[in-house]
Amino acid sequence: MNDTLHYTTNEKGHLTIAGLDTVNLAKKFGTPVVVYNLELVRERARKFKDTFEKHGIRAQVAYASKAFSSIAMYQVMKEEGLSLDVVSSGELYTALQADFPVEKIHFHGNNKSLDELIMAFDHEIGCIVVDNFYELELVKELAETRKQQMPILLRVTPGIEAHTHTYITTGQQDSKFGFDLLNGQADEAFESVANHPYVELLGLHCHIGSQIFETNGFVAAAEKLLVKMQTWSEVHHYSCRVLNLGGGFGIRYTEEDTPLSPETYVEEMIVAIQRLSSESAYQMPEIWIEPGRSLVGDAGTTLYSIGSQKVIPDTRHYISVDGGMSDNIRPALYQARYDARVANRMHDNNLTTVTVAGKCCESGDKLIEDIALPKVEAGDILAVFSTGAYGYAMASNYNRLARPAVVFVENGKARLVIRRETLDDLVRNDLSLYEEGEES
């Protein structure tokens, strides 16, 4: 078993997470259940943050909470001294319920509504990452009307294409995100706010993609953004003090994945930005980054109960679990690959090649294709690794399936942090045709 996934087994041959028996966790909390190793989350957060501090670099490490949003996870990030990246009123509201420091909240998104921007102003958050001209005008109008200061970053597309899936590349020129750095849009946006009495332009932001296993793209993006910031300094005598290189740091899903350590990502960024600043005589900016998946992705494991099987001779052997694309859409959405083990048979030999199917009524509801596992029976527990990012966060009630429970494990204890949805939850917002309701 790949020990980089931070899992072990006990004397019963059961998979353990942070010392706890996953078979017992499945019995106590039911399945499907997403189990987070909180010790690993904290370790990753500290490695990102401590590396900047070790080198004496002014920085903010903001948790990109779209990877997994919950009150409890926000509280963990608050305890670890991180900032927070939110992309909707729902994530902002969750942060407020977690009593997260508002001055450390950054609001992202390519189509923020007026109500969302008003909410950001009302709570005096730390920064709005402005994505387009429509939003920029709304921010300026709100700031002027309210006579309220609002720090912003301009998100730009630097023309860098990360080596990742087409659906999760965001830094290339053809992207729905940000002001184009190459065609003059970024300059136009800069000129409209550089001397604004209420809108404080802190600097530039970019995000070149996700699940990135190298630092070249981050270095190239930093160079493009620093050149633009230096130009504005020389021409307009305006110094931007923040350079935000986003996130996208890769994790290990399968043996083929080769992510770098948090320290390596950060240190190579620091070296490159120090060199570029020195060469251009531009004051070293404060560096902001936004890890999400790399904080929580491989800290999460989803436990399923195995049910039916179907053997098609000379074709395929299906085993089905009690979840699927309703709690993990990534395999169907962009062919994401995962590793898994039978949690109660960790010492058995992997003799059978199977495809793990979900229970949704879609032929494409397959979590893992062609994985070697022991011979399984109904009631066995399947553990799918590295499901902590964009699993629960993208979950749905397709087929009216309830969203799973979420459990944090740390220091030998398990804590339920999101209850499993009930059947009553599924119809809570439904209105009967035979009861008085709203009519248009």
Side-chain angles (χ1 to χ4, degrees):
M1 184 173 182
N2 185 355
D3 60 5
T4 60
L5 291 172
H6 299 268
Y7 302 111
T8 55
T9 58
N10 61 20
E11 68 283 355
K12 297 179 181 178
H14 293 177
L15 173 72
T16 63
I17 302 176
L20 295 182
D21 189 318
T22 55
V23 177
N24 292 339
L25 291 173
K27 288 179 181 177
K28 180 176 182 179
F29 298 104
T31 59
V33 58
V34 186
V35 180
Y36 281 89
N37 181 348
L38 213 57
E39 296 169 5
L40 180 56
V41 175
R42 293 188 189 276
E43 175 189 315
R44 292 279 174 76
R46 291 168 188 173
K47 284 182 176 179
F48 278 112
K49 195 167 181 288
D50 292 351
T51 304
F52 282 115
E53 293 177 356
K54 181 180 72 174
H55 291 277
I57 300 297
R58 291 174 296 120
Q60 283 196 45
V61 178
Y63 172 50
S65 67
K66 59 184 178 289
F68 172 67
S69 304
S70 78
I71 290 175
M73 188 58 81
Y74 287 174
Q75 289 170 333
V76 170
M77 297 306 170
K78 175 185 174 182
E79 289 174 355
E80 295 302 326
L82 269 60
S83 298
L84 191 67
D85 157 1
V86 301
V87 298
S88 70
S89 57
E91 288 184 354
L92 177 55
Y93 182 79
T94 304
L96 297 173
Q97 296 305 300
D99 196 27
F100 201 91
V102 291
E103 70 276 7
K104 298 176 75 172
I105 297 176
H106 311 156
F107 202 149
H108 285 255
N110 70 299
N111 191 29
K112 304 178 189 72
S113 69
L114 177 59
D115 285 344
E116 286 177 320
L117 292 172
I118 290 173
M119 186 177 180
F121 272 84
D122 284 347
H123 292 282
E124 300 181 345
I125 69 166
C127 176
I128 294 176
V129 183
V130 176
D131 203 273
N132 51 67
F133 289 109
Y134 168 74
E135 179 187 336
L136 188 59
E137 291 306 311
L138 289 178
V139 169
K140 288 164 60 179
E141 182 179 346
L142 283 171
E144 292 163 5
T145 302
R146 300 163 66 110
K147 293 182 170 50
Q148 180 180 342
Q149 294 289 327
M150 177 55 69
I152 70 167
L153 294 177
L154 294 178
R155 176 165 181 170
V156 299
T157 50
I160 304 295
E161 295 193 38
H163 294 180
T164 185
H165 192 283
T166 303
Y167 289 179
I168 51 178
T169 55
T170 55
Q172 74 279 15
Q173 192 167 18
D174 182 8
S175 171
K176 75 173 186 177
F177 298 102
F179 300 96
D180 197 294
L181 201 63
L182 306 178
N183 67 7
Q185 288 183 345
D187 291 306
E188 184 180 347
F190 166 81
E191 291 170 6
S192 74
V193 294
N195 296 303
H196 195 280
Y198 296 107
V199 178
E200 179 189 4
L201 176 60
L202 299 178
L204 293 179
H205 170 281
C206 72
H207 182 79
I208 62 174
S210 296
Q211 192 59 357
I212 300 169
F213 294 150
E214 56 191 31
T215 60
N216 294 345
F218 295 109
V219 172
E223 182 171 13
K224 286 178 177 287
L225 269 60
L226 277 170
V227 166
K228 181 58 65 178
M229 290 161 63
Q230 181 187 16
T231 300
W232 290 342
S233 177
E234 293 172 351
V235 175
H236 300 282
H237 307 292
Y238 190 99
S239 294
C240 296
R241 61 180 178 86
V242 173
L243 174 61
N244 189 329
L245 292 177
F249 315 113
I251 67 167
R252 188 184 301 275
Y253 285 102
T254 68
E255 292 286 351
E256 288 74 31
D257 294 330
T258 56
L260 303 174
S261 68
E263 298 97 325
T264 300
Y265 285 114
V266 171
E267 286 176 349
E268 294 200 17
M269 282 183 185
I270 290 172
V271 169
I273 294 171
Q274 285 177 327
R275 174 180 57 80
L276 293 166
S277 298
S278 177
E279 291 173 356
S280 63
Y282 191 84
Q283 182 178 358
M284 176 81 175
E286 186 172 327
I287 304 173
W288 292 8
I289 60 171
E290 299 163 347
R293 181 196 318 261
S294 54
L295 292 177
V296 300
D298 54 358
T301 301
T302 304
L303 304 179
Y304 299 98
S305 292
I306 295 173
S308 66
Q309 300 186 49
K310 177 181 180 180
V311 179
I312 308 172
D314 302 319
T315 302
R316 195 177 295 274
H317 182 168
Y318 287 97
I319 66 171
S320 294
V321 296
D322 55 353
M325 64 189 299
S326 54
D327 60 77
N328 188 353
I329 192 67
R330 295 183 70 251
L333 183 62
Y334 37 67
Q335 298 79 55
R337 299 176 63 232
Y338 289 92
D339 194 8
R341 297 291 187 274
V342 181
N344 55 304
R345 298 176 182 270
M346 294 296 290
H347 293 166
D348 290 8
N349 293 326
N350 296 327
L351 301 175
T352 308
T353 297
V354 301
T355 287
V356 180
K359 66 178 294 172
C360 294
C361 292
E362 296 286 342
S363 296
D365 183 19
K366 292 180 283 191
L367 291 174
I368 306 175
E369 293 194 50
D370 299 330
I371 182 172
L373 294 176
K375 183 179 178 180
V376 299
E377 301 174 356
D380 284 343
I381 303 301
L382 185 73
V384 179
F385 302 133
S386 299
T387 58
Y390 307 107
Y392 190 94
M394 300 172 76
S396 73
N397 293 127
Y398 183 53
N399 290 167
R400 284 266 155 150
L401 293 176
R403 290 181 178 88
V406 179
V407 172
F408 285 178
V409 294
E410 184 178 27
N411 299 324
K413 296 181 180 179
R415 178 185 294 275
L416 181 68
V417 296
I418 298 181
R419 296 187 183 93
R420 182 181 312 282
E421 286 183 326
T422 66
L423 296 180
D424 285 338
D425 291 329
L426 295 177
V427 298
R428 190 172 305 281
N429 294 322
D430 286 16
L431 299 176
S432 170
L433 182 64
Y434 306 110
E435 296 176 352
E436 282 197 35
E438 297 181 7
E439 296 183 2
S440 58

